[in-house]
Amino acid sequence: MLSSCCDFYTLKGVLHKMATNSDLNKKNAVNVRDMIAEKKKKRNFSNVTEKMIPTILIIIASISILTTVGIIYTLLAESIEFFKIVPIWEFFTGTVLKPLSQNPEFGILPLITGTVISSIIAMLVAGPIGLMSAIYLSEYASDKVRRTIKPLLEILAGIPTIVYGFFAFTFVTPVIRSIFPAVEATNILSPGIVMGVMIIPMIASLSEDAMTAVPNSMREGALALGATKLETTFRVVIPAALSGIISSFVLGISRAIGETMIVTIASGSSKNFTFDITQSMQTMTAYIVEVSGGDAPAGSTIYYSLYAVALTLFVFTLIMNLLARYVSRKFREEY
Amino acid sequence: MKYIDDVQVQKRMSSRVTKNNVLKNLFLAATLFGLVVLAILLIRVISQGAAWIDWNFLTGRLSTNADRAGIMGAILGTSWLMLIVIPVTIFIGVGTAIYLELYAKKGKFQSFVATNISNLAGVPSIVYGLLGLTIFVRAMDFGNAIIAGGLTLSLLVLPIVIVAAQEAIRAVPQHLSEASYGMGATKWQTVKGIILPAAIPGILTGSILALSRAIGETAPLTVLGIPALLIPFPGNIFDTFTALPMQIYYWTLDSSLVQEYAYLAAATIIVLLVLLFLLNSIAIIIRNKFQQRY
């Protein structure tokens, strides 16, 4: 009896335990279901993010395309307005540029000669010196020398163009004038030279990359045949790296054409159609600075001329950049 | 039969070796030419400008009186520009790079975007100035405010940041992202948690170099019509402003009228170059510290 009583109590206890257990189980079951639902919800959310991200990224990536579209659209739209007033033929063959006179004339040839001449001067400086630096760094210099000189050349490349402009105007021009007094205070020669110095690091480093890419086995072959280092460089390395070297030159020209501050400061704003490098000449870029800085009222002919000149400049540099890429792809020697 | 005429070879040998040695020195001289010009430029700027740098110059307001002129306004303007350029270029640049490297299918659109970016890198900075003038200054009517200048400069250096971020992402080893996928991570979780943290040093280095290019740019700002008048210090991004390179530009132009302005320009150049030097040092430190962690 006692035992049964005890049994009864135990049974009751067990039953009670079972009940609480099943309660617990029930609770747990609910919990798991909740958790699964929650997990699903979370996964849905992360699925949504997962699906949204590519779209968001495409939108961000298309900003760079919008920039191109923006540039081309603004240049074309405003240039078309300009060519309604000034015939396109007159613009590209006119040798007189008098935007501010009573009877304004818009011929772009003075600006084009200024741009071309300053670029030629710059390349006469940067081409040979840049190439020779590249030859020295890639063929002659020891590793240690190369590792000291390259960062210094990078500093030269990192100096803002306005600083070069200051240098051309306050140092190079006075030096040139003390040697050749006939040179004017603002002239195209001095900014051309300084622009060349600015471009040296670019040509040197791009040409050097092209020359370092030539496999050593080719150099060793030439040296083993008894060629000197110089002969190896000119007969083997340079021909093999020619596409890279030419494209570095073309990129240098493109850089010179688009350079603004040096010529704006040191070459003045004379719009004469001349080939005399001792005189002041205006480039396309300097014209844009002068006219836009003078607060040309929107809608005036001179305001539209800004865009026509910029469009010409844009086409010039675009052709150069495409040419550089074409040369380096088309004529690359694969080893 | 003799293939090689020894006498002939001997005779020519010395002249060939001399030629080699002479030209070697010529090449060395050409390499040093750039460095000599760099030295002259720095010596010239420092000798003209160093004496003018003092506390009053750094914190003073612009003045037509050379002795009292200060460049605080230009320093603030340049700082504001940096505050816009950094977030805008990193956000757009890294986003574009992630898309091109990790999401885009190799196809026409991807190669179109890539070609477009390399073309944008070759567009002269002054053309960006005209774009900024037309869109930000006129169409959006910001006027020549900080935001117009900052956005223009951001677009200008965007290609640099994109290319740097692309290279940084490409340099993250494949096995890291594979491990992440293996643990069941989704693509975006892998990008966010594994690839981007590993690529951050490279991205930062590229962004800082782009930033130093942006704050030295003058041409786009001249087109936007940034004044060098005695304007109050800018307080928010919609205020007109002047920047260090603009200050150098105006003082250089006027140096033929007032000799002292050339010295002020030189002093401002020193400030700008020190700023650029600091930025580049930070970039180099980041690059060295985090190089080849994997």
Side-chain angles (χ1 to χ4, degrees):
Chain A
M1 187 65 202
L2 195 81
S3 73
S4 77
C5 146
C6 281
D7 272 348
F8 174 75
Y9 280 108
T10 0
L11 195 65
K12 205 179 172 191
V14 168
L15 273 176
H16 181 74
K17 240 187 196 164
M18 274 176 73
T20 41
N21 255 1
S22 89
D23 261 7
L24 211 70
N25 274 346
K26 230 186 219 167
K27 233 187 196 167
N28 265 359
V30 171
N31 254 355
V32 168
R33 247 176 245 142
D34 274 354
M35 278 163 73
I36 290 174
E38 208 172 292
K39 182 85 183 163
K40 258 189 183 163
K41 221 193 253 169
K42 243 189 197 165
R43 190 174 293 163
N44 267 346
F45 177 72
S46 84
N47 267 351
V48 170
T49 341
E50 212 58 48
K51 275 181 194 141
M52 293 261 293
I53 289 291
T55 324
I56 296 173
L57 288 176
I58 288 187
I59 294 171
I60 295 176
S62 45
I63 290 178
S64 69
I65 297 174
L66 275 182
T67 312
T68 312
V69 173
I71 290 175
I72 294 175
Y73 175 76
T74 46
L75 291 186
L76 272 182
E78 310 283 32
S79 296
I80 288 171
E81 289 300 314
F82 177 74
F83 290 131
K84 278 182 194 161
I85 309 166
V86 178
I88 191 164
W89 178 250
E90 241 171 65
F91 179 66
F92 283 111
T93 56
T95 57
V96 183
L97 182 63
K98 283 191 206 151
L100 290 169
S101 81
Q102 288 287 342
N103 305 306
E105 283 187 69
F106 293 95
I108 199 180
L109 281 184
L111 299 181
I112 289 185
T113 49
T115 303
V116 169
I117 288 176
S118 63
S119 302
I120 290 176
I121 298 172
M123 286 311 290
L124 286 178
V125 174
I129 295 181
L131 183 58
M132 287 196 281
S133 308
I135 293 175
Y136 183 78
L137 288 175
S138 114
E139 304 301 315
Y140 286 94
S142 67
D143 222 32
K144 202 175 152 197
V145 172
R146 189 180 311 135
R147 252 183 266 156
T148 346
I149 290 183
K150 280 196 86 173
L152 288 173
L153 280 179
E154 275 172 31
I155 296 181
L156 201 60
I159 288 180
T161 57
I162 181 79
V163 178
Y164 282 112
F166 173 83
F167 184 63
F169 188 58
T170 63
F171 181 73
V172 177
T173 301
V175 167
I176 294 176
R177 289 186 79 194
S178 68
I179 304 171
F180 306 103
V183 174
E184 291 176 25
T186 52
N187 60 77
I188 199 79
L189 180 62
S190 147
I193 293 172
V194 174
M195 218 150 69
V197 173
M198 182 192 78
I199 298 171
I200 289 174
M202 180 180 172
I203 290 185
S205 106
L206 289 178
S207 298
E208 197 221 325
D209 286 347
M211 289 163 73
T212 328
V214 176
N216 254 340
S217 55
M218 293 180 61
R219 286 190 190 88
E220 283 153 7
L223 292 171
L225 286 172
T228 62
K229 250 188 175 172
L230 184 74
E231 288 156 352
T232 311
T233 304
F234 277 94
R235 305 266 172 92
V236 176
V237 178
I238 290 185
L242 200 59
S243 69
I245 294 172
I246 292 178
S247 81
S248 83
F249 274 53
V250 178
L251 285 177
I253 297 172
S254 160
R255 182 83 196 277
I257 292 174
E259 171 42 44
T260 310
M261 293 325 291
I262 303 176
V263 279
T264 304
I265 289 180
S267 182
S269 56
S270 137
K271 297 167 184 61
N272 297 331
F273 183 61
T274 167
F275 293 93
D276 183 357
I277 56 170
T278 64
Q279 284 187 16
S280 157
M281 278 185 218
Q282 196 166 39
T283 62
M284 293 190 269
T285 50
Y287 176 82
I288 297 173
V289 170
E290 189 203 355
V291 170
S292 59
D295 237 4
S300 60
T301 316
I302 184 165
Y303 171 78
Y304 288 131
S305 76
L306 215 57
Y307 291 88
V309 172
L311 181 65
T312 318
L313 174 71
F314 179 74
V315 171
F316 262 62
T317 52
L318 184 67
I319 289 174
M320 287 296 163
N321 292 336
L322 293 179
L323 185 67
R325 201 168 322 144
Y326 175 76
V327 168
S328 77
R329 285 227 181 116
K330 183 88 183 174
F331 300 104
R332 179 181 295 155
E333 309 257 342
E334 300 275 3
Y335 298 104
Chain B
M1 195 185 152
K2 226 171 153 192
Y3 289 105
I4 299 173
D5 186 348
D6 283 338
V7 185
Q8 227 14 39
V9 170
Q10 283 298 329
K11 236 200 228 162
R12 283 198 192 152
M13 201 60 210
S14 72
S15 87
R16 285 168 60 202
V17 170
T18 329
K19 220 192 222 170
N20 180 39
N21 288 337
V22 169
L23 278 171
K24 179 187 171 181
N25 287 323
L26 181 67
F27 295 151
L28 175 63
T31 313
L32 293 179
F33 174 79
L35 305 184
V36 169
V37 174
L38 177 67
I40 296 175
L41 190 155
L42 291 180
I43 292 170
R44 176 92 184 156
V45 166
I46 291 172
S47 70
Q48 281 193 331
W52 288 75
I53 296 183
D54 54 24
W55 188 246
N56 286 336
F57 176 73
L58 292 176
T59 58
R61 283 165 187 278
L62 203 54
S63 165
T64 47
N65 184 341
D67 288 325
R68 278 188 307 173
I71 55 168
M72 195 62 209
I75 292 177
L76 284 175
T78 293
S79 314
W80 275 108
L81 285 180
M82 286 161 72
L83 279 182
I84 293 182
V85 171
I86 295 171
V88 170
T89 53
I90 289 188
F91 179 72
I92 304 178
V94 175
T96 309
I98 293 175
Y99 173 74
L100 287 178
E101 287 301 312
L102 302 171
Y103 279 89
K105 292 189 188 71
K106 303 275 171 259
K108 274 190 183 153
F109 184 68
Q110 191 233 17
S111 74
F112 174 66
V113 176
T115 317
N116 178 49
I117 288 167
S118 71
N119 277 333
L120 276 180
V123 174
S125 59
I126 189 134
V127 174
Y128 281 96
L130 270 183
L131 178 73
L133 175 72
T134 317
I135 293 183
F136 300 130
V137 175
R138 300 236 156 114
M140 294 188 179
D141 209 18
F142 289 138
N144 39 29
I146 293 167
I147 180 136
L151 290 178
T152 308
L153 292 179
S154 300
L155 291 184
L156 173 67
V157 298
L158 198 52
I160 306 177
V161 180
I162 294 176
V163 171
Q166 271 182 292
E167 274 166 16
I169 290 173
R170 227 176 285 151
V172 176
Q174 194 82 33
H175 60 248
L176 285 183
S177 43
E178 273 161 13
S180 169
Y181 289 132
M183 300 284 285
T186 59
K187 186 157 195 178
W188 177 240
Q189 284 169 336
T190 306
V191 171
K192 201 172 56 173
I194 304 294
I195 298 179
L196 276 187
I200 273 182
I203 293 172
L204 278 183
T205 311
S207 308
I208 294 172
L209 293 180
L211 181 70
S212 66
R213 162 95 198 276
I215 60 176
E217 269 299 338
T218 322
L221 296 183
T222 61
V223 177
L224 296 183
I226 305 304
L229 302 170
L230 308 170
I231 49 172
F233 291 161
N236 66 55
I237 55 172
F238 298 104
D239 284 349
T240 49
F241 71 106
T242 183
L244 287 171
M246 290 306 292
Q247 206 53 60
I248 299 169
Y249 172 55
Y250 285 118
W251 269 331
T252 307
L253 277 189
D254 292 340
S255 67
S256 43
L257 307 173
V258 183
Q259 178 62 38
E260 279 78 25
Y261 284 172
Y263 306 141
L264 289 176
T268 317
I269 287 176
I270 296 176
V271 174
L272 180 63
L273 289 183
V274 168
L275 183 60
L276 293 180
F277 179 76
L278 287 179
L279 283 176
N280 281 291
S281 309
I282 295 173
I284 290 170
I285 289 171
I286 293 177
R287 187 162 60 188
N288 291 343
K289 188 156 185 180
F290 294 96
Q291 219 169 25
Q292 292 166 347
R293 246 190 348 183
Y294 300 104

